[in-house]
Amino acid sequence: MRSSLHLLVWRSDFHHGHFLLFVSWRSVVFRWLSSGLRISRSLQESYRLLQLPAEGHSSPAQVRDAYLRLAKLYHPDSGEPTADSGLFARIEEAYRVVLAHQSKVRERDGALEDDDEDKARAAALQHRHYLSYEGVGSGTPSQRERQYRQIRVDRAAEQVLSYRQREHERAAAADGALVERDMRQRSRKIKITQAVERLVEDLIQESMARGDFRNLSGAGKPLNKFEHNPYADPMTHNLNRILIDNGYQPPWVVMQHDIRENVARIRNLLLESRARLGDPMTPAEQNQWEQMCRSIQEELGKLNKMVDNYNLIVPMLSMQMVHFSMPRETERAQRGAEQRRMDLLKVREKERERRKEEKKRANNGTRTQTKKQGLVSWMQSLFRY
């Protein structure tokens, strides 16, 4: 694209008449004029907000640095005491205006440079085109610059891939070192275990040589360790026997025992409380029974949490428990109280029957004794006469 300034001058000369002077200046003059133009007020305000010189000679890097510095101070999420969302919005808008202005200036200057390069290319030496951009590309300098930028991007991508590959290799090497260290630790533990086993075996052999095992009870008799379960593994059987002999119980067994004890205690408490009340219950007894049920409800909640923990650690699915509900327990207590009343009535009836029998036997005994005494007295009176 070519740029020129045409000047028409009208001059008068009494010797030569009138003539027209045509002048064409180079684009350097036009560039000087365009750079010397005053920028608008809005653009000046944008430079002022970014704290940059108002003449517009700042580079894109300087503009970006100024924007980042102000963003750290006024961004709403910066956490600084100077944070201001309104001012930050104005700064961001000014940053965009300045970038747009610089982009337009660069495009205009690039067009002028292309024009100058086209004019000077014929006079310049051929090798001068390849003294910049590392001799990469072909065409105009602007085209070669774009090609050089693309090549730099490709190089950066290759460097990133190489860096990632090195990091993966380093991580794999670190993992291999960890695996090797674990192997060394396991090998060391195995060696220590084997050394302890050899030491124990040596001590047993020395004791046998001294005759420490000769006077043991059951010497020379076969062992009956596996008569309970002949299909059990000997090592497992011995370990279980050692744990049982030392009073060890699995956690789920202990928890099952605690659950059963708490259930028995709660059910006995409900049964005793219901048995003391009448049937049907009076309003006062009904209120007392409801208070008892509320207190038992809290204990049942804690008991159900224990059941959940027990179900998580119990080894067999068939041994899991279900939750205890208050309606079922109250109904159970009601049936138990009724059965207790019936049993009590039967006991009282049996006691009454027993007393009747005793009274009857006592009456019969009294009559027999009276008859005997009458017979004895009659015999005595008979022998007197």
Side-chain angles (χ1 to χ4, degrees):
M1 179 178 181
R2 302 177 62 85
S3 299
S4 61
L5 178 64
H6 300 279
L7 180 63
L8 296 177
V9 182
W10 180 265
R11 297 182 61 183
S12 62
D13 194 343
F14 59 90
H15 292 289
H16 302 286
H18 304 283
F19 65 94
L20 183 64
L21 179 63
F22 178 78
V23 181
S24 175
W25 288 0
R26 301 189 60 179
S27 60
V28 177
V29 178
F30 179 77
R31 188 186 308 171
W32 177 78
L33 290 175
S34 61
S35 62
L37 294 176
R38 297 180 58 84
I39 59 179
S40 62
R41 287 187 177 180
S42 61
L43 193 58
Q44 289 180 358
E45 181 66 18
S46 299
Y47 276 102
R48 187 187 65 78
L49 285 174
L50 294 176
Q51 299 179 5
L52 294 173
E55 290 79 7
H57 298 304
S58 301
S59 63
Q62 293 175 346
V63 175
R64 183 174 61 255
D65 294 339
Y67 171 71
L68 294 176
R69 176 171 51 80
L70 295 174
K72 292 178 181 179
L73 292 176
Y74 301 108
H75 196 278
D77 299 333
S78 62
E80 298 291 336
T82 57
D84 188 351
S85 59
L87 182 57
F88 174 73
R90 294 174 57 194
I91 291 172
E92 186 175 10
E93 182 65 24
Y95 174 64
R96 294 177 180 175
V97 170
V98 171
L99 287 182
H101 171 69
Q102 290 186 349
S103 178
K104 292 179 181 179
V105 172
R106 284 197 302 271
E107 290 178 357
R108 184 177 57 195
D109 293 344
L112 295 177
E113 288 178 358
D114 291 342
D115 186 23
D116 294 341
E117 289 174 359
D118 291 339
K119 290 181 178 181
R121 181 168 298 173
L125 297 176
Q126 296 298 324
H127 66 275
R128 291 293 301 273
H129 298 288
Y130 302 96
L131 295 180
S132 59
Y133 308 123
E134 300 179 4
V136 175
S138 61
T140 63
S142 59
Q143 294 175 351
R144 294 179 59 243
E145 181 181 3
R146 288 193 293 269
Q147 296 173 8
Y148 180 65
R149 288 178 181 177
Q150 184 62 38
I151 291 176
R152 291 185 62 185
V153 170
D154 296 339
R155 290 177 183 175
E158 292 178 358
Q159 292 177 359
V160 169
L161 292 176
S162 301
Y163 173 77
R164 290 180 178 177
Q165 185 177 1
R166 290 195 300 271
E167 289 296 324
H168 286 306
E169 292 176 355
R170 189 179 297 111
D175 294 339
L178 291 177
V179 172
E180 185 178 359
R181 186 182 65 183
D182 293 340
M183 292 292 294
R184 288 199 301 268
Q185 291 179 355
R186 286 197 294 269
S187 177
R188 183 170 177 270
K189 291 180 180 179
I190 291 173
K191 290 180 180 179
I192 293 174
T193 304
Q194 292 177 353
V196 172
E197 290 178 353
R198 287 196 300 270
L199 177 61
V200 172
E201 185 66 25
D202 293 340
L203 293 175
I204 292 174
Q205 293 296 331
E206 291 179 2
S207 298
M208 292 175 64
R210 289 195 303 267
D212 295 339
F213 300 144
R214 293 176 183 175
N215 298 324
L216 294 177
S217 61
K221 297 180 181 180
L223 298 177
N224 297 323
K225 294 190 301 181
F226 311 115
E227 60 183 4
H228 178 68
N229 186 5
Y231 302 101
D233 180 60
M235 181 61 69
T236 305
H237 179 82
N238 290 333
L239 292 175
N240 292 335
R241 182 173 57 82
I242 292 172
L243 293 175
I244 292 172
D245 293 341
N246 289 273
Y248 174 79
Q249 291 181 346
W252 64 270
V253 174
V254 178
M255 191 173 296
Q256 185 186 46
H257 179 70
D258 294 341
I259 291 174
R260 289 178 178 175
E261 285 187 350
N262 290 332
V263 169
R265 180 180 57 81
I266 291 173
R267 288 176 177 175
N268 188 29
L269 182 60
L270 281 173
L271 180 60
E272 294 293 336
S273 300
R274 185 64 185 88
R276 286 196 299 266
L277 303 176
D279 190 16
M281 294 182 291
T282 61
E285 291 176 343
Q286 183 68 30
N287 189 16
Q288 183 180 357
W289 174 247
E290 290 176 357
Q291 292 179 358
M292 175 60 66
C293 291
R294 283 194 295 269
S295 62
I296 295 298
Q297 182 68 37
E298 297 179 359
E299 296 188 11
L300 281 180
K302 298 178 181 179
L303 184 62
N304 289 330
K305 291 182 180 179
M306 292 179 62
V307 170
D308 292 336
N309 297 330
Y310 167 79
N311 291 336
L312 291 175
I313 62 176
V314 68
M316 290 182 291
L317 186 63
S318 60
M319 299 180 64
Q320 290 188 348
M321 297 182 179
V322 297
H323 283 185
F324 298 94
S325 65
M326 194 62 198
R328 289 200 302 266
E329 296 302 326
T330 53
E331 185 179 357
R332 184 190 185 97
Q334 181 71 24
R335 292 197 304 267
E338 292 177 358
Q339 185 65 32
R340 178 175 290 189
R341 292 191 191 96
M342 293 176 63
D343 294 341
L344 184 59
L345 290 176
K346 290 180 180 180
V347 170
R348 289 178 180 176
E349 186 67 25
K350 290 181 179 180
E351 184 67 21
R352 191 178 299 112
E353 294 292 334
R354 186 181 62 81
R355 289 179 181 177
K356 288 181 179 180
E357 291 293 333
E358 290 180 354
K359 187 176 182 181
K360 186 177 181 180
R361 286 196 300 268
N363 292 333
N364 293 333
T366 303
R367 292 174 184 175
T368 305
Q369 187 69 24
T370 304
K371 290 179 180 180
K372 289 181 179 180
Q373 290 179 358
L375 181 59
V376 170
S377 56
W378 178 76
M379 293 285 294
Q380 290 177 355
S381 63
L382 181 63
F383 285 114
R384 281 180 195 169
Y385 295 108

